[in-house]
Structures are given as C-alpha cells and as structure tokens.
C-alpha cells in the first residue's frame, strides 16, 4: 500500500509517500521559519495561508520525485491534530478532497503518534513494548507503548513543554526564532560549572515534568549577571544541562517502573545532541537500548504521518467524508489496532 502523507500542524508543510513493502519513497519539506522570524514565533494566520500556497505544489513535487502519479496512491493520511486549527484544516481539507477525487481511503493521523512511530522509518527499529519519551515544542510525555494505539500515559508536563521552555529561554537570551536549536548551539561554548539551575520535580515521586520554573531561573540569572556573550553561553549551557538531566532522571524512573529495557525518543527536542549522548550513556549503563529517528524526522515532517497513516489504513481504519480536526487531542484516546 502506497500512502500519501500530509503534515500541516504548525509552521512546516511536509509531504511524503510511504510504501508498506518498500518503505519511504519520497519526502519533501517546506519550512516557514523565515516567514515567522520577524515576529519571534509562529503567527497562526500566516501559517495557514502559507500552507494553502505550498501544499498542492509540494504534493505534485513529491509524486514526481517518487516517479509516481495519482493513480499509484492507495490512501491519503493527513495530520488531524493536535496543532493550530487553521493549519490543520488546510491539510485535512486537501487530503480528504484528494482521497475523494482519487477514490482511495483517507485517515486523520495524530501528530504525536507520528512522532512516536518515526523511529520505524529507520533500518534499526524498536520492537514493542517500549517506553517513549516524546519531547517537542508543545509536548513532553512519557508513554508506555505495547503496540500501535496501545498507549499508557506515564507522565507529562504540567506547564511548559521542554521545547517550549527552550524557545522561551532562547528569546530571553536574545536569540532569533527558532530559539531551541540556537540555544543548543550557544551552549556548546558555555562553561558547565558557572551556573547551577534546578532539576524540576526530580525530588518528588512520579513521572510528571515542569519546566516553567527552570525558565524563570534562567531569566533571573540573565537579569543578575548581565548580558555579555560568555555569560549568555554559560546560562544556555546550564539551562540545557538542567533539561537533559531532568529528562534522564524521569526516563530512568519510567524504565524502572515498567521493567522495560527499550526507550524511544522522538519529537523536535530529540535532535538535541547532548540529550542523545546522555540517553545513550544511560541506556548502556542499564543494559538497554535507545532508538530515535534521524534529525530530519525529529521535527515535523510528512514521512511520519505517511507511516502512521499507512499502519492504520492497512489495519482497516478509515475516515468518512466529513473533515474533522482536533487542536487538542490526548494520545491515549487513540484506538488500538
């Protein structure tokens, strides 16, 4: 089965074609970073309008890259949530309309399920069951995964997600949008022993996260110690170290609680090199394995949507003619297949 995947949940238009027998056939991505940079963050209306302009041309380009035509597509998958409602409606409307015109089934995909399954795009794939750490701009969650749709939420952020905290702290440091990757780059030249920020909620039992206080600690350090370049680098390093340590502590707890030895990490923050190195060291010490997608599949992309959609379409799931999107959509509400 060849499935066209459409991702338009926020500020990136991702189109891909996934074949259940041959794997990923084509993947195309257009980023709106330059469009939103002047505003210091995503402007929802501008994002929606840009998806309207870019989605159909990218679909045509992706089909051409794969050497396919519309008649070769067996199903269409589109992101139905969570995300910006206007952006979601663009992809969902186009996806549902194409499926109707091509007389193939369509399926609305959960954005975070796409991230969760993204490591399956690699040659080295995790087997079920495993613990998943989902870290992105909007979500920080620990999930036990026993199969597709068999999800148990173990813990989540009670305020800012890790990626959101990265972006907000980067803005405090005067870094341009998107701030998270720029903060990580700045942290490379930071001294690890100058500042010590808290590891939130690690002194309490449980698997929930909180990052808003960590952002506040960074803001106070900036206000107190000035804004010279080295100080900013030192603060960035301390902030990154605190986030990484917090995530590692919670992952260890989740693995101990579940008795599992496999950990999957996915979402935009999973591209962070310091976090990857720390998780690899942790899993090696535990005699376990860690899996994550290559950097291009960590951020929003059509490949993960095509893959997730293909799994559900192959299992017989499909959507009706009505277009439904869900800006807020708990992962655990997904049906199992």
């Amino acid at each position: 089965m060849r499935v066209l995947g459409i991702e338009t949940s926020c500020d990136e238009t991702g189109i891909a074609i996934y074949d259940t027998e041959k794997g990923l056939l084509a993947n195309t991505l257009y980023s709106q970073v330059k469009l939103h940079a002047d505003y210091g963050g995503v402007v929802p209306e501008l994002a929606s309008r840009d998806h309207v302009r870019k989605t159909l041309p990218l679909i045509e380009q992706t089909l051409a890259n794969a050497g396919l035509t519309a008649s070769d597509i067996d199903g269409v998958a589109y992101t139905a949530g969570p995300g910006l409602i206007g952006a979601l409606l663009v992809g969902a409307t186009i996806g549902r309309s194409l499926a109707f015109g091509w007389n193939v089934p369509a399926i609305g995909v959960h954005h975070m399920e796409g991230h969760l399954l993204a490591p399956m795009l690699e040659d080295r794939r995790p087997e079920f069951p495993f613990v998943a750490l989902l870290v992105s701009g909007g979500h920080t969650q620990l999930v036990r995964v026993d199969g597709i749709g068999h999800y148990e939420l173990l813990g989540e952020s009670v305020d800012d997600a890790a990626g959101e905290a990265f972006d907000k702290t980067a803005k405090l440091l005067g870094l341009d949008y998107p701030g998270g990757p720029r903060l990580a780059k700045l942290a490379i030249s930071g001294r690890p022993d100058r500042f010590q920020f808290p590891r939130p909620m690690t002194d309490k039992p449980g698997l929930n996260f909180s990052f808003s206080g960590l952002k506040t600690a960074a803001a106070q350090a900036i206000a107190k110690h000035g804004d010279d370049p080295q100080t900013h680098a030192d603060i960035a390093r301390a902030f990154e170290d605190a986030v990484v340590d917090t995530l590692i502590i919670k992952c260890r707890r989740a693995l101990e609680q579940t008795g599992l030895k496999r950990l999957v990490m996915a979402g935009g923050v999973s591209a962070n090199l310091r976090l990857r190195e720390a998780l690899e060291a942790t899993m090696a010490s535990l005699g376990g394995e860690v899996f994550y997608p290559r950097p291009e599949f960590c951020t929003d992309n059509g490949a993960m949507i095509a893959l997730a959609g293909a799994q559900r379409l192959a299992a017989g799931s499909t959507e009706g003619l009505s277009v439904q999107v869900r800006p807020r959509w708990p992962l655990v509400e997904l049906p199992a297949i």
Side-chain angles (χ1 to χ4, degrees):
M1 171 180 275
R2 295 192 191 99
V3 176
L4 175 73
I6 303 172
E7 157 60 22
T8 63
S9 64
C10 190
D11 60 341
E12 289 169 315
T13 311
I15 309 296
I17 299 171
Y18 183 84
D19 189 309
T20 53
E21 294 183 0
K22 299 179 180 179
L24 186 64
L25 302 182
N27 181 52
T28 310
L29 182 71
Y30 172 78
S31 175
Q32 300 178 0
V33 166
K34 291 183 179 179
L35 176 66
H36 301 287
D38 290 342
Y39 303 95
V42 178
V43 181
E45 179 63 22
L46 294 181
S48 301
R49 293 181 183 182
D50 213 38
H51 286 310
V52 170
R53 287 190 289 264
K54 297 297 192 304
T55 302
L56 283 175
L58 282 175
I59 291 173
E60 294 175 350
Q61 179 184 337
T62 306
L63 285 168
N65 291 347
L68 302 174
T69 65
S71 61
D72 297 311
I73 300 300
D74 303 307
V76 177
Y78 53 86
T79 303
L84 302 175
I85 188 167
L88 291 169
L89 282 168
V90 175
T93 302
I94 291 175
R96 176 63 265 181
S97 299
L98 288 176
F100 179 77
W102 295 345
N103 194 30
V104 297
I107 188 79
V109 171
H110 193 292
H111 180 77
M112 296 311 295
E113 182 171 68
H115 277 305
L116 188 153
L117 297 178
M120 306 293 185
L121 292 164
E122 307 297 341
D123 293 334
R124 179 174 169 269
R125 305 175 183 180
E127 296 181 359
F128 302 113
F130 55 78
V131 170
L133 171 65
L134 303 179
V135 275
S136 66
H139 298 81
T140 301
Q141 297 178 326
L142 280 165
V143 182
R144 178 183 172 125
V145 180
D146 289 293
I148 298 177
H150 295 269
Y151 305 136
E152 177 189 355
L153 181 64
L154 303 174
E156 62 184 339
S157 179
V158 299
D159 42 53
D160 290 351
E164 186 179 6
F166 261 102
D167 288 339
K168 289 180 177 179
T169 303
K171 194 169 185 178
L172 292 172
L173 290 167
L175 301 176
D176 292 335
Y177 170 84
R182 298 180 190 277
L183 186 150
K185 184 177 181 179
L186 178 63
I188 294 173
S189 58
R191 292 170 292 191
D193 54 354
R194 183 176 176 190
F195 295 100
Q196 183 72 20
F197 292 154
R199 276 55 175 164
M201 296 185 72
T202 57
D203 58 344
K204 300 177 182 179
L207 295 172
N208 284 339
F209 303 89
S210 172
F211 293 106
S212 62
L214 182 55
K215 175 197 63 184
T216 301
Q220 291 172 343
I222 294 169
K224 181 177 179 180
H225 296 281
D227 58 359
D228 65 278
Q230 186 59 55
T231 295
H232 275 196
D234 295 343
I235 291 172
R237 175 62 186 269
F239 175 85
E240 184 181 52
D241 285 348
V243 172
V244 170
D245 286 352
T246 300
L247 294 173
I248 295 297
I249 291 169
K250 296 291 186 172
C251 284
R252 290 183 70 106
R253 285 186 188 175
L255 292 165
E256 291 170 0
Q257 178 177 310
T258 60
L260 299 176
K261 293 291 187 179
R262 282 186 292 271
L263 179 72
V264 162
M265 178 176 64
V269 181
S270 67
N272 183 280
L273 294 179
R274 200 178 303 278
L275 178 58
R276 290 189 175 208
E277 292 171 357
L279 274 180
E280 287 173 357
T282 298
M283 295 308 294
S285 70
L286 295 174
E289 298 176 283
V290 60
F291 301 82
Y292 42 74
R294 71 194 76 167
E296 66 188 275
F297 296 143
C298 290
T299 54
D300 296 349
N301 64 88
M304 67 182 192
I305 301 305
L307 168 65
Q311 303 306 310
R312 290 193 170 273
L313 286 171
S317 300
T318 187
E319 301 283 354
L321 291 177
S322 62
V323 174
Q324 296 182 340
V325 297
R326 298 180 64 177
R328 296 183 181 275
W329 188 5
L331 181 67
V332 293
E333 291 184 1
L334 290 176
I337 62 171

